[in-house]
Amino acid sequence: MDEIQIASLLKSSELFPIPQGLKLSYGTAGFRGDAKLLESTVYRVGILSALRSLKLGSSTIGLMITASHNKVSDNGIKVSDPSGGMLSQEWEPFADQIANAASPQELVSLIREFVEKEEIKIGEYKAAEVWLGRDSRPSGESLLRAAEIGVDSVLGSVSVDIGVLTTPQLHWMVRAKNKGLKATENNYFENLSTSFRCLVDLIPINGNNKFEISKLLVDGANGVGGQKIEMLRGSLSNLDLEIRNTGRDGGVLNEGVGADFVQKEKVLPLGFGLKDVGMRCASLDGDADRLVYFYVPSDSTSDVKVELLDGDKILSLFALFMKEQLNVLDDGKEGKQSRLGVVQTAYANGASTDYLKQLGLDVVFAKTGVKHLHEKAAEFDIGIYFEANGHGTILFSESFLSWLVTKQKDLTTKGQGGSEEQKAVSRLVAVSNLINQAVGDALSGVLLVEVILQHIGWSIQKWNELYKDLPSRQIKVEVPDRTAVVTTSQETEALRPLGIQDAINSEIKNYSRGRAFIRPSGTEDVVRVYAEASTQEAADSLANSVAELVKSFLGSS
């Protein structure tokens, strides 16, 4: 690093002193906190993003300013790698170091050391490019300016403000740009509407499923997702949308609304009530990377109940549809059958896992956290992953997608354009375009759910009957040292303290359809207990018994 670069960094970093006592850690959600305290962090992540672009041969990097489902006064920042995926875990320790550097001198020293270790060349004209996006939070604009100054302080780096976006839009655009494809917001919308229309055109027409297109009510969480789905609505045929909680009517982002609120509290979002009995409803989260469905059952009285269809239910619907298409292909395919895999975490409801296994699917478990699920799903020809919170997507391997596209052309050339095999191939290719393969995306997710329900002629009530969730309970146990608990990579069993898993297993045996596990929190001295059983009373009892075991093995704070 030459003297000009060092002077540029020292000068710009003095504009953004780190707040007293601020200590941050980069995780799946990037950095998050009170927006008023984040200017120095966002500036520094701007520098990191420029260095990441330089390291990866001038690939475009994405930088998103959002705090997803957090309250409106919070904000955050996360980095998208060229693939559209999350920042490589190898760079997370560097992110932590520079975010917490106490002075401009310490910051520059850390950057110089890292640049030398990673052999990053700085100074060439327009050698790095970082695309900046933000959600609809009021604090986003000033934080974006800090990110721009961070990027531009690395010589030869260019920042591009691409405006107010959902998080998945930014990830999609970065992925498309690095693949040499058209990568504007309009291209994103065009991609969604074209592939959706293609799937609609391929809906089988027979006497059994004359599916009447009923209205879908969408809760936009008073965030950017509600605004973007309004923009998309005009280009969608075969979909009747009514969008509520767009944020334009004075509603507050994530306050009593949004997928996180509906899924965790199991209550209706604001603006929904008895008038919506039996209607199909979907809820996006604040930055539109999570999606859940729900409806008000017909037996609701003044005490309005909600029937929730969470990420597990969405995954099951997607898996059912994808398996149906692959079955048609595999019947006519010589040699190795295509590998369809489903990835869940230990928190997935046991009833959903049982259902997926009954379908004959390959179900694997990954550690909690989207990056672990994504990694595991990438091992299959088609990998589907979802967390119960509604974050998930479908991945197609490059080799399988290439095979599909070739197969589609071959069948058309051979005059088999209308065959069942050709339709199945075309549906799979359309799904690969519709679904956001970079990251979970509520907008593409809602379109895929809607077209699958039309395809099979199901109401939301019929979909909900796929399986009945087992009652569950989660408990947090405060402990002196959470690192005393070590689990298997899938987090379904505890390896330490020695003997605790045997004790948990003995407890589980006392309950019909019982299942329980423990895992240490990633951020606080807490051990999380999850239990499920055939009744709510039994699930509560099992969770409490396991919590007592944790206290007896580890002590309690």
Side-chain angles (χ1 to χ4, degrees):
M1 249 170 48
D2 63 20
E3 293 305 313
I4 299 171
Q5 178 60 83
I6 289 168
S8 169
L9 288 168
L10 282 171
K11 186 180 176 187
S12 59
S13 62
E14 281 165 3
L15 300 170
F16 303 105
I18 186 167
Q20 191 95 34
L22 184 69
K23 184 82 176 154
L24 293 166
S25 174
Y26 195 99
T28 301
F31 291 120
R32 271 191 206 168
D34 185 328
K36 293 196 288 287
L37 303 176
L38 285 182
E39 275 199 347
S40 67
T41 311
V42 173
Y43 157 77
R44 293 166 183 208
V45 176
I47 296 170
L48 176 145
S49 304
L51 296 176
R52 184 77 181 147
S53 176
L54 291 170
K55 172 71 179 177
L56 299 176
S58 302
S59 295
T60 298
I61 296 295
L63 190 155
M64 184 69 195
I65 295 170
T66 179
S68 190
H69 51 270
N70 284 34
K71 61 183 184 285
V72 71
S73 57
D74 283 350
N75 217 323
I77 185 161
K78 51 185 168 186
V79 178
S80 164
D81 257 359
S83 65
M86 291 177 215
L87 174 68
S88 166
Q89 284 173 254
E90 292 165 7
W91 277 51
E92 288 181 11
F94 175 58
D96 289 352
Q97 286 174 345
I98 63 169
N100 296 306
S103 67
Q105 291 72 23
E106 186 189 342
L107 174 65
V108 171
S109 171
L110 286 166
I111 292 167
R112 177 195 269 169
E113 199 179 295
F114 186 76
V115 163
E116 283 170 13
K117 179 172 78 79
E118 293 289 326
E119 298 177 350
I120 297 169
K121 289 188 174 63
I122 296 177
E124 293 173 23
Y125 177 67
K126 286 193 176 178
E129 185 168 88
V130 180
W131 284 13
L132 310 176
R134 60 187 174 91
D135 70 13
S136 55
R137 291 162 198 270
S139 57
E141 201 163 346
S142 63
L143 290 176
L144 190 123
R145 297 286 87 83
E148 281 180 327
I149 293 168
V151 173
D152 298 343
S153 67
V154 177
L155 302 179
S157 302
V158 179
S159 59
V160 181
D161 177 0
I162 50 175
V164 175
L165 299 168
T166 70
T167 296
Q169 281 183 307
L170 178 81
H171 284 263
W172 184 93
M173 290 159 75
V174 167
R175 181 175 186 261
K177 170 75 163 57
N178 288 301
K179 284 167 80 84
L181 305 170
K182 292 177 180 173
T184 66
E185 184 178 24
N186 278 343
N187 297 136
Y188 168 86
F189 285 136
E190 204 175 290
N191 186 70
L192 289 189
S193 58
T194 305
S195 44
F196 177 74
R197 200 175 306 122
C198 179
L199 283 163
V200 167
D201 290 343
L202 287 162
I203 291 173
I205 300 161
N206 58 51
N208 299 330
N209 69 341
K210 287 196 178 74
F211 186 75
E212 191 181 322
I213 301 160
S214 57
K215 185 176 282 186
L216 171 69
L217 308 180
V218 179
D219 161 30
N222 291 320
V224 64
Q227 296 165 23
K228 297 300 180 184
I229 203 166
E230 273 192 322
M231 290 167 69
L232 179 62
R233 174 168 55 184
S235 58
L236 297 173
S237 57
N238 263 54
L239 197 53
D240 183 6
L241 295 176
E242 182 184 315
I243 303 153
R244 301 177 185 173
N245 302 327
T246 61
R248 298 189 205 287
D249 47 7
V252 179
L253 176 71
N254 296 329
E255 201 170 283
V257 293
D260 189 66
F261 173 77
V262 174
Q263 190 254 337
K264 285 202 169 66
E265 303 299 326
K266 294 186 174 57
V267 294
L268 291 176
L270 294 172
F272 290 74
L274 271 176
K275 64 184 184 304
D276 304 315
V277 164
M279 298 283 284
R280 199 168 64 261
C281 306
S283 188
L284 322 178
D285 81 331
D287 65 339
D289 66 352
R290 293 184 186 183
L291 168 71
V292 296
Y293 270 71
F294 62 94
Y295 66 93
V296 180
S298 53
D299 59 354
S300 281
T301 55
S302 54
D303 181 21
V304 183
K305 291 190 292 186
V306 63
E307 279 290 338
L308 176 72
L309 290 83
D310 62 6
D312 293 336
K313 275 268 161 75
I314 295 171
L315 181 150
S316 300
L317 183 71
F318 287 180
L320 183 70
F321 179 76
M322 300 302 277
K323 183 172 167 56
E324 180 189 287
Q325 308 318 309
L326 288 172
N327 284 347
V328 175
L329 286 200
D330 290 339
D331 284 348
K333 186 179 169 190
E334 296 130 30
K336 183 171 104 45
Q337 291 202 321
S338 39
R339 287 190 69 221
L340 171 62
V342 172
V343 188
Q344 295 186 300
T345 70
Y347 284 105
N349 195 278
S352 76
T353 309
D354 290 347
Y355 171 75
L356 293 162
K357 286 180 175 173
Q358 282 161 19
L359 283 180
L361 291 168
D362 196 349
V363 183
V364 293
F365 285 87
K367 197 174 170 184
T368 304
V370 175
K371 55 190 165 191
H372 304 297
L373 290 149
H374 197 95
E375 212 172 85
K376 206 82 179 156
E379 294 172 9
F380 295 91
D381 290 330
I382 299 178
I384 313 175
Y385 72 85
F386 264 86
E387 293 186 295
N389 63 25
H391 190 125
T393 191
I394 304 175
L395 302 184
F396 290 73
S397 73
E398 289 292 344
S399 59
F400 186 66
L401 197 48
S402 169
W403 180 87
L404 278 175
V405 171
T406 306
K407 182 81 174 167
Q408 191 179 30
K409 284 176 186 163
D410 288 350
L411 289 166
T412 307
T413 308
K414 289 173 185 170
Q416 296 179 38
S419 68
E420 287 309 308
E421 194 177 5
Q422 198 270 349
K423 287 176 187 170
V425 171
S426 297
R427 285 186 193 112
L428 290 170
V429 172
V431 170
S432 77
N433 290 321
L434 175 59
I435 204 76
N436 190 335
Q437 293 190 57
V439 70
D441 184 340
L443 269 61
S444 69
V446 90
L447 295 184
L448 188 53
V449 168
E450 290 302 304
V451 82
I452 292 174
L453 291 177
Q454 289 184 33
H455 179 94
I456 51 188
W458 279 4
S459 63
I460 190 168
Q461 291 81 2
K462 178 75 175 166
W463 170 24
N464 198 32
E465 287 167 12
L466 281 181
Y467 59 83
K468 189 173 179 354
D469 276 334
L470 287 166
S472 63
R473 176 66 63 215
Q474 295 185 44
I475 295 177
K476 288 201 298 190
V477 183
E478 290 184 11
V479 294
D481 177 16
R482 70 179 186 274
T483 62
V485 174
V486 178
T487 69
T488 58
S489 61
Q490 299 177 345
E491 299 182 323
T492 49
E493 292 190 347
L495 302 173
R496 294 186 193 283
L498 292 173
I500 195 166
Q501 188 60 50
D502 290 337
I504 291 170
N505 291 345
S506 298
E507 202 57 50
I508 289 169
K509 283 176 188 169
N510 299 327
Y511 297 88
S512 167
R513 299 195 74 183
R515 182 173 75 94
F517 65 88
I518 60 170
R519 60 179 283 269
S521 163
T523 52
E524 51 188 333
D525 272 327
V526 155
V527 170
R528 301 185 189 280
V529 174
Y530 176 90
E532 61 188 26
S534 55
T535 66
Q536 190 61 59
E537 191 182 0
D540 293 348
S541 171
L542 177 55
N544 287 323
S545 301
V546 172
E548 289 305 318
L549 288 172
V550 170
K551 288 174 189 171
S552 69
F553 273 82
L554 276 85
S556 60
S557 296

